[in-house]
Amino acid sequence: MSQLFQSPFDRNSTASDVTKGVDLSGKRAIVTGATSGIGVETARALLAAGAQVTLAVRRPEAGEQVAADLRARTGNDAVRVGRLDVADLDSVNAFAASWSGALHILVNNAGIMMPPELERGIRGHEQQFATNYLGHFALTLGLHSALAEAQGARVVSVSSGGHLFSPVVFDDLDFRFRPYDALTAYGQSKTAEALLAVEADRRWAGEGIRANTLNPGAIATGLQKHTGGLRTPERYRKTIEQGAATSVFLAASPLVDGIGGRYFEDVNEAPQVDARPTELGVTAVAAYAVDPANAERLWNVARDILR
Ligand code: NDP
């Protein structure tokens, strides 16, 4: 295995810290799920560094409010809103088809966590797998030529430490044989998101497209609406500014030029583990979430689903 990538940053670093001195003028970025939480701060930091940013959101009115706020906060007017519901294939395809020109940065950030009942989404697939993974897979594929045109694009897949709760269970992606468990399903979807970056990087690095994945950490946001709020003890939590740091670092920092297919946490590459750590605050990625064979297999499964 290659050496773990280390940055000068740590778990306390913020999105502003990792973009100090970074100039993104002329770069075009998309951030999905930028109406709330980490996505808003990710978009803010990219704008503050001079990028043109599209907030890809399912509620355009809410997106316009965020855009107005970000213009005021950053002094960068180059923010626009695009309608995108990642849980709806027609919406994903329409969004991708409407994009023209190069795309330098794609942050697949939108997400849902642990709806209590089994729901089904794209092509009948379990809703978290469909929303967190399949929608972003279709989006990334739909934007492939725009990413290639950028000649040096970055794809960032926002995974989660929750991936440690489940590999992708290829024989039962949709809980048709096993009982639905909301955390297991979230874990599976976040492993899938990590694998999306691993395989996109393998396939597309030759076209200058590098993809990485990350765990933002534990941050109190709208994400925990089905779980009664964030339960993580205070000292293991991050602020939203800290939570967005790893996404923004992977999207924007020249320090990761030429780096791809890796899983980051606390702005550094996480070590692989063969079992879920029992203590809180341990930085780790399950070997199954960065396994190239899993990544290729899932890509092919997802392509077949979307055919
Ligand atoms: P939020 O709930 O605050 O933000 C999630 C965003 O995703 C919202 O903008 C939401 O839109 C959007 N979204 C949800 N479903 C869809 C959809 N179908 N189409 C388009 N957009 C959608 O959560 P966070 O900011 O915390 O989460 C951002 C990412 O970080 C997620 O992928 C999450 O899994 C990941 N993460 C977060 C952690 C945390 O502790 N907060 C920990 C680990 C990972 P709307 O406003 O319309 O609901």
Side-chain angles (χ1 to χ4, degrees):
M1 208 187 97
S2 58
Q3 234 185 340
L4 292 184
F5 176 91
Q6 284 188 309
S7 81
F9 302 106
D10 61 27
R11 75 179 305 283
N12 296 313
S13 303
T14 63
S16 299
D17 292 335
V18 303
T19 42
K20 262 193 201 109
V22 174
D23 180 8
L24 297 178
S25 30
K27 308 265 190 221
R28 302 172 75 211
I30 293 172
V31 181
T32 70
T35 43
S36 165
I38 297 165
V40 174
E41 176 60 9
T42 301
R44 187 208 59 77
L46 298 178
L47 273 168
Q52 301 167 42
V53 180
T54 297
L55 313 178
V57 304
R58 63 176 163 179
R59 295 182 300 121
E61 332 71 59
E64 291 297 349
Q65 279 179 18
V66 171
D69 179 52
L70 292 182
R71 278 184 202 106
R73 286 169 68 198
T74 63
N76 183 350
D77 284 342
V79 52
R80 58 177 282 273
V81 174
R83 194 184 133 57
L84 172 71
D85 181 347
V86 283
D88 174 354
L89 209 46
D90 290 340
S91 171
V92 172
N93 291 338
F95 180 92
S98 71
W99 185 268
S100 67
L103 174 62
H104 304 84
I105 296 168
L106 171 61
V107 186
N108 288 326
N109 164 83
I112 55 168
M113 183 174 79
M114 296 175 65
E117 305 296 331
L118 174 58
E119 294 166 28
R120 299 201 185 274
I122 295 173
R123 305 257 155 97
H125 289 276
E126 187 278 322
Q127 188 68 286
Q128 296 181 82
F129 183 77
T131 305
N132 297 344
Y133 170 65
L134 276 178
H136 282 130
F137 175 75
L139 179 69
T140 307
L141 226 53
L143 292 167
H144 173 212
S145 53
L147 290 163
E149 194 180 328
Q151 298 187 346
R154 304 263 181 97
V155 176
V156 179
S157 252
V158 182
S159 178
S160 164
H163 86 271
L164 292 159
F165 286 86
S166 181
V168 172
V169 178
F170 286 97
D171 290 329
D172 190 17
L173 291 175
D174 301 305
F175 296 84
R176 294 185 188 277
F177 293 90
R178 48 188 173 144
Y180 176 69
D181 177 76
L183 178 56
T184 305
Y186 181 67
Q188 171 174 262
S189 74
K190 288 293 167 178
T191 294
E193 254 188 274
L195 292 170
L196 166 55
V198 172
E199 181 64 3
D201 192 75
R202 188 188 72 79
R203 285 178 182 246
W204 297 342
E207 297 171 87
I209 303 166
R210 301 312 304 259
N212 288 290
T213 182
L214 71 129
N215 171 23
I219 305 107
T221 63
L223 192 73
Q224 297 95 16
K225 68 178 172 210
H226 296 304
T227 58
L230 185 64
R231 303 256 170 81
T232 308
E234 199 67 50
R235 70 192 184 98
Y236 296 113
R237 296 183 184 196
K238 289 184 182 181
T239 63
I240 288 180
E241 292 77 9
Q242 292 166 339
T246 310
S247 295
V248 171
F249 178 72
L250 294 175
S253 176
L255 296 176
V256 274
D257 274 347
I259 298 288
R262 304 192 192 201
Y263 179 102
F264 287 72
E265 186 168 345
D266 297 343
V267 209
N268 283 281
E269 188 178 359
Q272 286 184 33
V273 292
D274 292 325
R276 187 168 68 238
T278 48
E279 291 150 48
L280 287 171
V282 175
T283 304
V285 58
Y288 57 66
V290 283
D291 177 73
N294 286 347
E296 184 176 12
R297 182 177 180 191
L298 180 63
W299 185 284
N300 291 330
V301 166
R303 277 207 94 129
D304 286 346
I305 289 171
L306 298 183
R307 245 186 254 283

